Amino acid sequence: MRDGDVMRQSFAWWSFTLGREVEPTTLLREAAAAGAQGVEMLPEALWPVARDAGLALVTLTGHTLERGFNDPALHAGLADEVRRNIDAAARGGVEAVIVFSGNRIGDGADAPAIAACIEGLAPVAAHAEQAGVRLLLELLNSKVDHPGHQCDRTAFGAAVVRGVDSPALRLLYDGYHMQLMEGDLSRTIRAHFDLIGHIHTAGAPGRRDLDDRQEINWRAIAGLLRHLGYRGWVGHEFVPRGDPVAALRAALSQFDGSAPLERTA
């Protein structure tokens, strides 16, 4: 994106390096040259390299996603772990820390799990607000990638964010995951726009490039976000089929409106 545009775009380090050997400095510099403004979930040892390439440090993961705040027995340990990561993010200039509900426990009912997440995340959100770091509660699919995950519907995550009622906690709305679970992305984004602090993209199904082999109309989602005045990050979290920089450049173009949707290698 260009300076002054509404949305900023980033890419997820893990997905763009998965299954391939890369030279980190080269990839970070080439991603910046392609138009990316930030990088997500980057190993801490590479933070200075990213900064030197002109990339913002956008997110880091606060804890393992299987064991989360839906389990009151884990609250004390999770809170300590996430606070440490919030502090590390603040020191390192990382903007946000990602948190999770965890997998279902007991009978898997949503109502007590929502209450537990609110109770566990409220003090952590207060710490994040004081540190100037945002917390992002991620929506994940339980159908394919994360069996048993509890926060697998927008309504669950929205109830938690509303219950915590802190400007430091927002939803990480992942279009790939929510297309698998509930579809109707545009209507859902509109209905929960005030709660969304971050967007993740990937082609569905398959978690591949944003091209014509997948079913989400990402150009339409980009247009909706511009119309709504979205000013957060759009993070591309897909596994490229071919050259990662070419795939990233094509994805970036879907959100800056510079190119039509087309098949990549």
Side-chain angles (χ1 to χ4, degrees):
M1 301 291 283
R2 298 170 294 273
D3 289 345
D5 281 350
V6 171
M7 291 176 284
R8 298 170 291 169
Q9 296 191 68
S10 55
F11 70 102
W13 184 255
W14 79 264
S15 66
F16 276 76
T17 60
L18 183 68
R20 65 180 79 233
E21 292 186 10
V22 300
E23 202 294 303
T25 300
T26 300
L27 179 55
L28 290 166
R29 289 176 177 172
E30 290 184 351
Q37 294 172 292
V39 60
E40 302 194 36
M41 296 167 275
L42 185 70
E44 187 171 357
L46 295 175
W47 290 2
V49 182
R51 291 192 202 95
D52 289 345
L55 293 168
L57 302 171
V58 184
T59 63
L60 60 81
T61 302
H63 59 98
T64 59
L65 59 86
E66 294 85 4
R67 291 162 54 84
F69 285 92
N70 63 347
D71 187 348
L74 300 179
H75 282 179
L78 284 174
D80 287 345
E81 182 178 4
V82 176
R83 286 191 186 100
R84 288 195 298 270
N85 282 312
I86 289 168
D87 293 343
R91 290 192 302 270
V94 182
E95 296 186 18
V97 173
I98 303 171
V99 294
F100 306 97
S101 70
N103 289 351
R104 294 179 186 270
I105 59 173
D107 64 5
D110 280 347
I114 289 168
C117 286
I118 292 169
E119 180 184 20
L121 283 168
V124 182
H127 185 84
E129 186 173 3
Q130 290 181 342
V133 173
R134 175 167 285 190
L135 288 184
L136 298 170
L137 176 62
E138 184 162 12
L139 307 171
L140 301 173
N141 84 78
S142 60
K143 183 182 291 185
V144 177
D145 300 287
H146 305 289
H149 196 78
Q150 185 133 33
C151 187
D152 62 354
R153 296 291 198 286
T154 306
F156 184 103
V160 173
V161 172
R162 289 195 180 100
V164 172
D165 192 24
S166 166
L169 177 67
R170 286 294 179 265
L171 286 179
L172 196 170
Y173 186 85
D174 189 306
Y176 160 75
H177 288 300
M178 290 303 96
Q179 176 67 11
L180 268 58
M181 295 304 301
E182 59 191 22
D184 202 16
L185 302 188
S186 294
R187 192 193 314 268
T188 304
I189 289 170
R190 280 183 178 274
H192 301 90
F193 184 70
D194 61 320
L195 305 178
I196 294 173
H198 198 90
I199 302 285
H200 273 171
T201 80
R207 203 170 199 160
R208 294 290 194 171
D209 306 57
L210 310 191
D211 61 13
D212 64 0
R213 303 185 198 186
Q214 55 91 41
E215 64 194 25
I216 303 175
N217 186 342
W218 283 111
R219 281 183 297 160
I221 299 298
L224 172 64
L225 292 171
R226 283 193 294 270
H227 174 72
L228 295 173
Y230 180 68
R231 297 186 179 277
W233 285 95
V234 173
H236 300 294
E237 194 185 20
F238 61 87
V239 180
R241 291 189 184 89
D243 176 70
V245 176
L248 177 59
R249 185 179 294 109
L252 295 169
S253 73
Q254 303 308 315
F255 281 80
D256 67 17
S258 65
L261 189 66
E262 60 185 24
R263 180 166 294 204
T264 57

